[in-house]
């Protein structure tokens, strides 16, 4: 039986929800985020802006108290919050309800926030809106975020281990997803519709960035204005590394065909790189059957794309050496701290 979805609209048509006045629509998708959702919503409500914005919350039929919490917030802020409440879980990695929130958005710009993340600056939206207003050549604006780990209290780090360019393009985002979901602000209506396979991939935010980046540059604000939370129930972060790689490979293949192989060189290079990484992981695990499977994939791609393959192999070796060097430095630093602590404790 086809599921139905309830959408709670604001009662006052003269409120800030006049679609001609809304500057930003905030898409907030949540599922089983009882511990986190209030902080996410509050971080939106605390934004200090000189424009109207709306919050569209897609609550994907949680099994905890998430729905009760978002309904309560909608009652408190009926002029700001709209709810999308399916009567069963829509699944598909949360992509179906995500698309529904985007389709319901009426602002000039759309900001994205997951229910387990939050914004840590009240000026986040204003700074990004000002950026896009002043850079009409940009389709997307994003900023740095801080990554925190729920199971490692006190540990935090930057989202990216490199400094993104101030301006980048679709070729850059095809190589890696350097845009944290909770940092995204983009121009609404840049493409007509999502690919048919969109809801079958876990990398929905990255695909969205690629589709938008075909229509303009990607602008970067070098400030940490949000927090990305890593926890055991996170959709992507809870996956094993090997599964993340396989999902990325699947997504690359779908994108390559959808884009009519316009960026085949970049995409094939990234697929080969991930084949090599999968092979290395299975080698460490001493899984001979899987090693053979990925060795065969590499041989086939080497025959089909010799130049691309050699480029990817070189990149893999280079990155492996850099990672080993970084790990070596980290171990030396940790050992020095351990020795220093021992010296003080001995005295």
């Amino acid at each position: 039986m086809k599921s139905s979805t309830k959408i709670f609209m604001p009662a006052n048509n003269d409120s800030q929800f006049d679609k001609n006045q809304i500057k930003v629509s905030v898409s907030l998708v949540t599922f089983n985020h009882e511990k986190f959702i209030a902080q996410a919503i509050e971080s939106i409500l605390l934004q200090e802006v000189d424009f109207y914005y709306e919050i569209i919350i897609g609550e994907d039929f949680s099994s905890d108290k998430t729905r009760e919490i978002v309904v309560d917030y909608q009652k408190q802020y009926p002029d700001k919050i709209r709810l999308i409440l399916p009567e069963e879980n829509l699944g598909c990695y949360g992509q179906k309800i995500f698309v529904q929130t985007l389709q319901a958005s009426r602002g000039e710009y759309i900001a994205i926030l997951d229910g387990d993340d939050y914004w840590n600056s009240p000026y986040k939206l204003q700074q990004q809106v000002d950026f896009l207003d002043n850079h009409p050549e940009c389709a997307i604006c994003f900023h740095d975020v801080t990554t925190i780990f729920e199971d490692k209290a006190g540990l935090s780090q930057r989202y990216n281990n490199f400094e993104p360019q101030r301006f980048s393009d679709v070729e850059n985002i095809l190589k890696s997803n350097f845009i944290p979901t909770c940092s995204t602000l983009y121009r609404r209506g840049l493409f007509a519709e999502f690919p048919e396979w969109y809801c079958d991939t876990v990398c929905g935010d990255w695909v969205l960035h690629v589709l938008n980046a075909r229509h303009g540059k990607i602008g970067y604000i070098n400030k940490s204005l949000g927090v990305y939370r890593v926890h055991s129930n996170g959709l992507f972060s809870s996956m094993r590394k090997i599964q993340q790689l396989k999902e990325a490979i699947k997504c690359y293949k779908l994108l390559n065909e959808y884009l009519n192989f316009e960026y085949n060189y970049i995409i094939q290079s990234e697929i080969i790189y991930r084949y090599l990484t999968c092979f290395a992981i299975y080698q460490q695990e001493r899984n001979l059957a899987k090693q053979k499977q990925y060795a065969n994939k590499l041989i086939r791609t080497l025959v089909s794309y010799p130049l691309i393959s050699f480029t990817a192999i070189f990149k893999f070796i280079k990155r492996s050496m850099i990672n080993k060097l970084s790990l070596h430095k980290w171990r030396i630093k940790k050992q020095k701290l351990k020795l220093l602590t021992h010296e003080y404790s001995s005295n």
Side-chain angles (χ1 to χ4, degrees), residues 115-127:
D116 50 354
D117 300 330
Y118 62 96
W119 298 334
N120 59 356
S121 169
Y123 311 109
K124 171 248 179 8
L125 281 183
Q126 186 67 60
Q127 290 185 56

Side-chain angles (χ1 to χ4, degrees), residues 8 28-41 56-76 81-86 89 97 113-117 231 233:
F8 285 71
L28 175 58
V29 171
T30 183
F31 174 71
N32 284 351
H33 291 149
E34 178 183 349
K35 290 170 56 179
F36 314 124
I37 188 61
Q39 187 175 23
I41 297 173
I56 302 170
I57 304 177
E59 200 292 304
D60 203 7
F61 204 73
S62 299
S63 58
D64 60 10
K65 294 182 179 180
T66 300
R67 179 161 294 199
E68 296 176 34
I69 296 170
V70 301
V71 167
D72 184 58
Y73 268 101
Q74 197 277 332
K75 290 177 179 177
Q76 293 180 60
I81 298 174
R82 288 190 288 152
L83 301 181
I84 297 178
L85 305 176
N89 180 259
I97 195 163
L113 183 63
D114 287 334
D116 50 354
D117 300 330
H231 57 96
N233 293 324

Side-chain angles (χ1 to χ4, degrees), residues 74 137 257:
Q74 197 277 332
E137 76 278 12
E257 184 175 354

Side-chain angles (χ1 to χ4, degrees), residues 262-314:
E262 182 179 353
Y263 305 97
N264 185 59
Y265 189 97
I266 293 173
I267 291 176
Q268 287 296 342
S269 176
E270 294 302 326
I271 289 175
I272 295 165
Y273 177 83
R274 282 157 181 79
Y275 280 163
L276 286 163
T277 309
C278 288
F279 179 84
I281 291 174
Y282 284 128
Q283 191 175 43
Q284 290 176 351
E285 296 177 355
R286 298 181 179 180
N287 189 327
L288 296 177
K290 289 294 184 180
Q291 284 182 59
K292 183 177 179 181
Q293 178 185 345
Y294 279 88
N296 289 333
K297 289 177 183 288
L298 287 166
I299 291 170
R300 287 196 296 270
T301 52
L302 183 61
V303 171
S304 302
Y305 308 101
L307 180 59
I308 299 175
S309 296
F310 282 120
T311 303
I313 291 170
F314 175 77

Side-chain angles (χ1 to χ4, degrees), residues 4-29:
S4 58
T5 300
K6 297 178 181 178
I7 301 181
F8 285 71
M9 305 288 288
N12 184 2
N13 291 328
D14 296 325
S15 72
Q16 74 167 54
F17 276 91
D18 181 341
K19 65 180 180 180
N20 295 318
Q21 294 182 337
I22 298 169
K23 186 74 171 180
V24 176
S25 297
V26 181
S27 163
L28 175 58
V29 171

